[in-house]
Amino acid sequence: MWRHLNTITTRTSSFSRMRSLSALVQSKALVNGNWIEASGSATFEVRNPSSGEVIGHVPNMNVSDAQDAINAAKQAYESKEWRSLTAKDRSNLLKKWHKLIEQHTQEIAEIMTAESGKPINESKGEVAYGNAFVEWFAEEARRIYGEIIPSPVANREIIVMKQPIGVAALITPWNFPLAMITRKAGAALAAGCTVVVKPSEDTPLTALAVAKLAEEAGIPSGVINVVTTNKAAPIGDLFCKSPDVRGISFTGSTEVGKLLFRNSADGIKRVCLELGGNAPFIVFDSANVEKAVEGAMASKFRNCGQTCVSANRFFVQDGVYEKFVSQLKERVEALKIGDGQSCDVQIGPLINQMQFKKVSGFVEDARSKKASVITGGKPLPSIGPLFYAPTIITDVPPTAQLYTEEVFGPVVSIIRFKDEPEAIQKANDTRRGLAGYFYSENLQQVFRVAKRLEVGMVGVNEGMISAAEAPFGGVKESGVGREGSKHGIDDYVDIKYICMGNLKYD
């Protein structure tokens, strides 16, 4: 079964490579323009998931440290140095930040690969993708337009303006450690807000590296603060309850998103949530099967399947079922697996032991319910403790966890269907609704299905849909609000109505 699988086991020392990147690798957090330790000098380890090697230590900050960061952000927001900046000034600072990130693409990518396990080519791609949000919002900063509305009264004028909400807390995940920061911070800074960033405990080094470049770009002290910790819950609770935090943007699990949403209610905060998905990937008889297989590979196996918009449930119509499964199996078995530092590696490790247990548990659950493992379905300890074989499972029953929950790993679960209504019903049979994909060459079917899928984003004959220009977000339990596009500014501005009365027009 695995004779076609190419594995890469040779690796250079992650620690040695990290030391060579010392200019961007930070061992302290950023608060009010100062690189500081945590209270009591507590730290936690950052490990390379490919090897388990410790590649760094960062401050393990507590609630008091996070409060200092909030205070710094509030002070910076209220200072003339930030509040008095014109939209053009903010735009220019973001452009300088964008340029520096672009110039340091290789260094950032190597840091990202070392702490996340992501293949180096994917890491470079993420730097470009994430940096596109900095560029986009640098441009959008000058397009946060107000309105003049025709008044119903002759001696009045109605003016509407948009103003920044204040301090925004940004809680970001490990799977896109740069892009999830820039997508949020770019919009917040463009609007005139200041931010406190709490990156994932698995990938804090990328966050600190891009914050270092923001500092070098001339973004004033306190405008961007980074709090590192492996005790996220109490700091998240502080963000929810602090009256000085006026907005929270979170990307992560639906369960944590619900908790943040609930805990923010007393303060009536602006909350933007980009939560988990359970993306359907539908292949109709009318599809170009070769294109569908290509799209499946791109959607499913990027970052070892650890993306929120990754295809999760594959629905394949009877007429193309055998052809699609056969071609997909051939492509999956040819994937190159190993340490992401090697340029030809396509699949790296899962991020941590918890995620590894989840993926392997989902596969064993499907096995126990009579699903068929076509390829994969096992750990790869000869490569590393967190490597799991890319897997295809067919005949997945509705009772299986793979059917009802997001696996967040390199596992394709395939379900056969007979007709379009059945596919749409099964695709929508979930409380999640982030992304959905389908392949069809029938134009009428394209419009029908795109309208009927209960998701926030649809890929039609396309497996890669994210772009800075497009609104990113879901429906149902996959979140509220949108990131990217012109709509990405909305969560960081208040609309103020000004009525000017008793005007004389002689």
Side-chain angles (χ1 to χ4, degrees):
M1 178 182 296
W2 286 93
R3 64 185 183 276
H4 300 300
L5 182 65
N6 296 293
T7 59
I8 308 297
T9 57
T10 303
R11 58 172 68 95
T12 58
S13 167
S14 299
F15 181 71
S16 297
R17 295 180 69 83
M18 295 296 285
R19 289 187 66 183
S20 70
L21 300 171
S22 58
L24 282 184
V25 177
Q26 305 300 312
S27 60
K28 295 182 180 180
L30 180 63
V31 174
N32 201 26
N34 299 310
W35 293 93
I36 65 169
E37 297 179 345
S39 300
S41 300
T43 65
F44 65 93
E45 298 175 340
V46 183
R47 290 182 177 269
N48 182 328
S50 288
S51 65
E53 183 181 6
V54 176
I55 57 174
H57 295 79
V58 295
N60 196 3
M61 304 178 88
N62 58 27
V63 169
S64 175
D65 297 318
Q67 183 61 59
D68 289 343
I70 293 170
N71 294 342
K74 181 182 179 183
Q75 182 180 353
Y77 174 70
E78 293 176 346
S79 72
K80 291 182 179 179
E81 193 174 9
W82 189 245
R83 176 169 278 187
S84 64
L85 287 184
T86 65
K88 183 177 181 180
D89 290 334
R90 293 196 302 273
S91 175
N92 287 337
L93 285 171
L94 286 169
K95 287 176 181 177
K96 290 178 182 177
W97 191 24
H98 169 265
K99 188 67 175 177
L100 284 170
I101 293 174
E102 183 178 58
Q103 290 171 354
H104 290 84
T105 293
Q106 182 67 31
E107 299 99 305
I108 297 170
E110 290 185 11
I111 293 170
M112 190 185 302
T113 290
E115 67 176 349
S116 74
K118 184 177 295 192
I120 188 67
N121 289 331
E122 286 193 21
S123 293
K124 291 178 185 177
E126 182 184 338
V127 176
Y129 166 66
N131 204 19
F133 289 101
V134 180
E135 180 182 39
W136 172 264
F137 286 117
E139 296 165 346
E140 284 297 292
R142 301 183 68 181
R143 292 193 284 267
I144 303 176
Y145 298 136
E147 303 171 73
I148 297 177
I149 301 172
S151 171
V153 180
N155 66 344
R156 294 180 188 171
E157 292 289 348
I158 296 174
I159 298 173
V160 175
M161 64 173 60
K162 295 180 180 179
Q163 295 182 308
I165 61 173
V167 177
L170 315 179
I171 305 174
T172 60
W174 47 263
N175 59 337
F176 287 91
L178 182 144
M180 296 302 96
I181 291 173
T182 55
R183 194 161 75 184
K184 300 173 189 298
L189 269 58
C193 297
T194 57
V195 301
V196 179
V197 181
K198 204 296 289 179
S200 167
E201 64 205 65
D202 291 304
T203 55
L205 297 177
T206 302
L208 294 171
V210 295
K212 177 68 174 174
L213 294 177
E215 181 183 52
E216 291 181 12
I219 293 176
S221 298
V223 172
I224 297 178
N225 305 274
V226 181
V227 174
T228 57
T229 184
N230 64 3
K231 299 173 183 176
I235 290 178
D237 192 55
L238 172 66
F239 289 161
C240 293
K241 294 179 180 178
S242 170
D244 294 325
V245 174
R246 293 310 311 147
I248 293 178
S249 182
F250 169 75
T251 296
S253 73
T254 298
E255 291 71 29
V256 174
K258 288 180 179 180
L259 181 64
L260 293 170
F261 207 6
R262 191 178 299 118
N263 290 349
S264 296
D266 286 346
I268 316 295
K269 295 184 191 296
R270 192 73 59 82
V271 178
C272 179
L273 303 173
E274 192 267 283
L275 307 177
N278 192 2
F281 188 105
I282 307 170
V283 184
F284 290 103
D285 284 347
S286 58
N288 179 313
V289 173
E290 288 73 20
K291 289 181 181 178
V293 170
E294 193 68 37
M297 296 299 295
S299 175
K300 183 70 225 184
F301 293 105
R302 184 168 53 122
N303 198 22
C304 198
Q306 298 172 118
T307 76
C308 54
V309 292
S310 175
N312 203 53
R313 299 165 297 147
F314 286 71
F315 300 101
V316 185
Q317 198 163 6
D318 284 333
V320 294
Y321 183 88
E322 300 298 338
K323 183 178 180 181
F324 177 83
V325 172
S326 174
Q327 291 189 17
L328 184 64
K329 178 176 180 288
E330 182 179 350
R331 290 289 301 276
V332 168
E333 291 185 343
L335 287 169
K336 294 183 179 180
I337 306 170
D339 191 307
Q341 293 176 23
S342 300
C343 290
D344 54 353
V345 162
Q346 298 164 294
I347 298 288
L350 294 164
I351 186 66
N352 54 37
Q353 189 63 34
M354 183 173 68
Q355 189 61 24
F356 182 86
K357 288 180 178 179
K358 177 184 177 182
V359 171
S360 57
F362 274 31
V363 172
E364 293 311 309
D365 172 74
R367 269 200 179 102
S368 71
K369 292 170 180 172
K370 310 304 180 185
S372 301
V373 178
I374 299 301
T375 190
K378 62 181 182 181
L380 299 174
S382 62
I383 307 177
L386 297 180
F387 286 86
Y388 197 86
T391 299
I392 299 176
I393 301 181
T394 60
D395 306 317
V396 179
T399 56
Q401 288 175 303
L402 281 173
Y403 192 102
T404 59
E405 300 177 44
E406 183 180 31
V407 63
F408 227 63
V411 181
V412 175
S413 55
I414 301 180
I415 301 102
R416 188 191 294 257
F417 72 90
K418 288 183 168 47
D419 55 30
E420 182 183 307
E422 179 188 0
I424 293 172
Q425 185 274 321
K426 288 182 174 179
N428 290 339
D429 187 20
T430 173
R431 292 177 296 175
R432 310 288 171 85
L434 188 58
Y437 309 87
F438 70 91
Y439 278 73
S440 171
E441 300 286 296
N442 182 323
L443 187 59
Q444 294 184 39
Q445 185 175 54
V446 163
F447 280 97
R448 284 197 309 269
V449 176
K451 289 180 179 180
R452 292 173 184 171
L453 284 180
E454 296 172 356
V455 296
M457 300 172 285
V458 182
V460 183
N461 298 324
E462 180 56 61
M464 299 277 282
I465 59 175
S466 300
E469 295 82 358
F472 191 103
V475 299
K476 298 196 281 192
E477 290 189 9
S478 285
V480 292
R482 292 295 182 270
E483 295 184 325
S485 80
K486 67 176 184 178
H487 303 289
I489 296 287
D490 294 347
D491 285 306
Y492 301 99
V493 293
D494 287 321
I495 296 175
K496 178 179 285 185
Y497 155 49
I498 302 171
C499 178
M500 303 180 68
N502 293 299
L503 301 174
K504 299 180 72 174
Y505 296 100
D506 295 328

